[in-house]
Amino acid sequence: MLQYAFMRRALLAALMVGLTAPSVGVYLVQRRLALIGDGLGHVALTGVAVGLVTSTTPVLTALVAAVIGAVVVELIRAKGRTSGDVALAVLFYGGIAGGVVIVSQAPPGTTVNLDAYLFGAITTTTSGDLLVFLLLTVAVVLLTLGLGRYLFAVSNDEEYALASGLPVLRLNLLLAVATSVTVVVSMRVVGLLLISALMVIPIATAQLLTRSFRSTVVLATVLGTAASVLGVGASFYADTPSGGTIVLFAIAGFVVVVAAVAVRNRLRRDVSPAPR
Amino acid sequence: MTGPTAPAPAVVSFRHADIGYEGRAVLHDLSLDITAGEVVGLLGPNGSGKSTLIRGLLGLAPILRGSVELFGIERSRFKAWQRVGYVPQRQTVVGGIPSTVREVVSSGRLTTVQPFRWMRAADKDAVAQAISAVGLTSEASSSMANLSGGQQRRVLIARALASAPEFLVLDEPTAGVDSFNQAALADTLAELAAAGTTILLITHELGPVEPLVTRTLVLRAGEICHDGPSSEAPDEHDDDWHHHHGDPPERSSGLGLSGLGT
């Protein structure tokens, strides 16, 4: 399959999604904001629609929409109002509603395949997309590595972080922007409705096997990359949408690890009446 | 009581401060100095404003009126947060993701670690020392989830100690902690106090930390109703508080205001 240029591009895009999604997702899961990526995917759809209607690169317009969405979400959260949930619902469903309505206004003759944006497709990644994805991936990886300790502190205990004088709001905004960037990197091969799965499931799988935060991040990144690359490869041979295939691989990994851990625990219990 | 002649500078100084949330003051017209080296026990019934007092000094609750100074600097302009260690009331810090004792304690060192840099040897040493100060060196690589509640409490204290603070603020450090861990915690605090660390601790009952406390504050309905050296006998106010609020007897005797040597 590597003789096809579109497949080489799709595999590279898959590699970048596999790297970025878990390294951002780990902080979202820790803060119990696991589904925020899903919401930002909805918002990005409006950006895609604007791009299609105005014949601008959809990746760039999606990036703008998702970043604005992320900042608004974070500011609403920082206000800590009880109406936060409602505000998020308005933003998220406004995003997807705006997306489908704006797309319907595309000039006649434009072929619009929303499915590819929502659920991923292997044939859609352009060389221009790859360049944008590469820049965004480098930015996200540098950010999460360089500020990892700070993001950990804020996600682990936000009140303590505030009391120790850390710039909590700025760190939260950075994480929100990194999340929206990851959503955009995912939009070709994983799709805007499925990216959140890749931010959450590899983390859930990894934490069954690890006891430190750092090893969780490393293992989740490996698992995410494996699911992503395998999913794109399988979708080539099976002719399936790549996003769905990737997520099914990630879930298969989760199920296998859950079963293995259960078996291991049973064996341990049988061998020694554990002190714990 | 901090005499006006006391040479030590105030570590924290409340001046006619109202502290509360969303415009509603919980503490009214609070004036209070804590000077270097004091070990202050802050007591009072639930809802009396104990947590709000420390949240006010840490910048977690707004000062609605008056002022709060840390080391002589207005709180909103205070930047040297590594000088203040905070142990929140929360029982556990087990988030969604596994994390080791060392990782959690390291997050108390971030006020001195530069972003985009590795932790220096000095930082790693400080973290290891803080873990050793609470007697958990053998658990440094353990996952937080495998520790008992009392051990998790000690990890939070180690986190506060990681920046080598001069002023340590603890919210109910002994609540829900078994007697072995309470004793371990009291030992840690005794060593810190002996080394000159100023300590402010909220507690329902002084228990094993009783011998350390040099000054007792009692809050009632947002105002200080007792402030004195801990050797001082409880005054009318404390009695009054006890009767009106119907706290169980062991709580009020837990005040331990009588027979405390300094």
Side-chain angles (χ1 to χ4, degrees):
Chain A
M1 64 182 164
L2 286 177
Q3 71 267 35
Y4 298 103
F6 77 88
M7 272 311 287
R8 291 197 295 271
R9 290 196 296 268
L11 285 168
L12 281 173
L15 185 70
M16 293 191 270
V17 178
L19 284 176
T20 50
S23 49
V24 168
V26 70
Y27 300 105
L28 301 178
V29 173
Q30 198 186 22
R31 282 176 17 166
R32 306 191 189 286
L33 283 176
L35 296 180
I36 203 98
D38 195 39
L40 293 175
H42 289 46
V43 175
L45 188 70
T46 291
V48 168
V50 169
L52 291 173
V53 168
T54 60
S55 307
T56 318
T57 320
V59 165
L60 294 179
T61 47
L63 180 64
V64 171
V67 167
I68 292 173
V71 170
V72 170
V73 166
E74 203 44 52
L75 292 179
I76 290 172
R77 231 179 56 80
K79 285 271 181 198
R81 302 283 176 202
T82 43
S83 56
D85 268 1
V86 175
L88 296 188
V90 168
L91 191 69
F92 293 175
Y93 302 116
I96 205 153
V100 291
V101 168
I102 294 172
V103 155
S104 71
Q105 300 305 305
T110 318
T111 49
V112 174
N113 181 7
L114 270 189
D115 272 7
Y117 291 101
L118 293 176
F119 306 112
I122 46 175
T123 51
T124 50
T125 314
T126 67
S127 327
D129 292 342
L130 269 190
L131 183 65
V132 175
F133 291 172
L134 181 66
L135 291 175
L136 296 178
T137 300
V138 168
V140 167
V141 169
L142 281 182
L143 192 79
T144 48
L145 284 181
L147 295 177
R149 290 173 197 289
Y150 292 80
L151 294 172
F152 171 77
V154 171
S155 312
N156 189 54
D157 190 342
E158 186 164 315
E159 182 174 287
Y160 176 79
L162 265 176
S164 34
L166 295 183
V168 171
L169 180 63
R170 269 180 285 163
L171 287 166
N172 283 341
L173 283 173
L174 268 178
L175 182 62
V177 170
T179 309
S180 53
V181 163
T182 304
V183 165
V184 171
V185 172
S186 79
M187 65 182 258
R188 291 302 191 191
V189 291
V190 181
L192 296 172
L193 284 193
L194 289 171
I195 175 54
S196 197
L198 214 51
M199 293 185 182
V200 175
I201 295 169
I203 313 291
T205 311
Q207 69 181 0
L208 292 169
L209 302 170
T210 55
R211 54 180 185 173
S212 77
F213 192 81
R214 184 188 298 207
S215 54
T216 308
V217 175
V218 172
L219 182 57
T221 309
V222 171
L223 291 170
T225 309
S228 178
V229 172
L230 285 173
V232 164
S235 98
F236 173 78
Y237 291 110
D239 194 20
T240 49
S242 52
T245 316
I246 288 169
V247 172
L248 289 179
F249 267 101
I251 291 173
F254 178 72
V255 171
V256 165
V257 170
V258 166
V261 167
V263 168
R264 184 190 67 182
N265 288 348
R266 170 157 301 180
L267 287 178
R268 269 193 194 162
R269 217 173 299 140
D270 290 346
V271 171
S272 65
R276 264 190 191 121
Chain B
M1 298 286 176
T2 61
T5 52
V11 169
V12 60
S13 175
F14 294 84
R15 289 276 165 274
H16 301 292
D18 282 7
I19 304 171
Y21 307 95
E22 309 217 339
R24 193 180 62 83
V26 176
L27 292 166
H28 310 278
D29 196 30
L30 178 78
S31 288
L32 169 71
D33 275 359
I34 294 174
T35 52
E38 281 192 291
V39 178
V40 180
L42 178 58
L43 302 116
N46 288 334
S48 58
K50 303 187 299 288
S51 290
T52 306
L53 188 152
I54 63 169
R55 291 174 61 83
L57 83 84
L58 291 165
L60 299 173
I63 313 293
L64 305 172
R65 215 163 54 85
S67 72
V68 177
E69 291 184 353
L70 288 156
F71 298 97
I73 297 163
E74 175 59 36
R75 189 198 75 179
S76 55
R77 289 197 304 273
F78 185 75
K79 295 273 182 275
W81 288 103
Q82 72 276 10
R83 298 176 77 179
V84 183
Y86 170 46
V87 183
Q89 188 178 4
R90 196 122 20 95
Q91 296 292 322
T92 61
V93 285
V94 180
I97 309 283
S99 42
T100 63
V101 169
R102 192 179 289 111
E103 285 173 328
V104 171
V105 174
S106 296
S107 64
R109 187 70 187 172
L110 291 180
T111 34
T112 63
V113 178
Q114 294 296 310
F116 298 101
R117 300 273 166 81
W118 299 110
M119 278 182 100
R120 293 164 305 165
D123 297 316
K124 288 183 180 167
D125 286 352
V127 168
Q129 251 174 41
I131 294 172
S132 135
V134 298
L136 286 176
T137 303
S138 61
E139 301 289 339
S141 301
S142 300
S143 172
M144 287 293 283
N146 291 339
L147 303 187
S148 72
Q151 287 175 318
Q152 291 182 359
R153 239 47 242 296
R154 284 154 65 193
V155 173
L156 294 194
I157 293 173
R159 180 178 66 175
L161 297 180
S163 66
E166 296 152 67
F167 181 30
L168 187 60
V169 181
L170 306 98
D171 195 347
E172 302 261 13
T174 53
V177 172
D178 60 83
S179 58
F180 172 80
N181 277 297
Q182 283 202 17
L185 198 142
D187 287 348
T188 305
L189 293 183
E191 278 170 37
L192 292 166
T197 307
T198 310
I199 297 174
L200 170 61
L201 71 122
I202 290 185
T203 183
H204 264 311
E205 47 178 352
L206 290 170
V209 296
E210 199 169 302
L212 305 173
V213 172
T214 60
R215 177 182 176 193
T216 308
L217 294 170
V218 181
L219 273 180
R220 194 184 75 182
E223 285 172 23
I224 293 175
C225 66
H226 172 88
D227 179 0
S230 46
S231 55
E232 219 172 67
D235 59 29
E236 297 289 312
H237 280 104
D238 299 327
D239 241 29
D240 194 31
W241 161 62
H242 165 57
H243 287 304
H244 275 277
H245 293 260
D247 264 41
E250 61 268 28
R251 284 260 170 91
S252 76
S253 70
L255 284 174
L257 294 179
S258 52
L260 279 186
T262 44

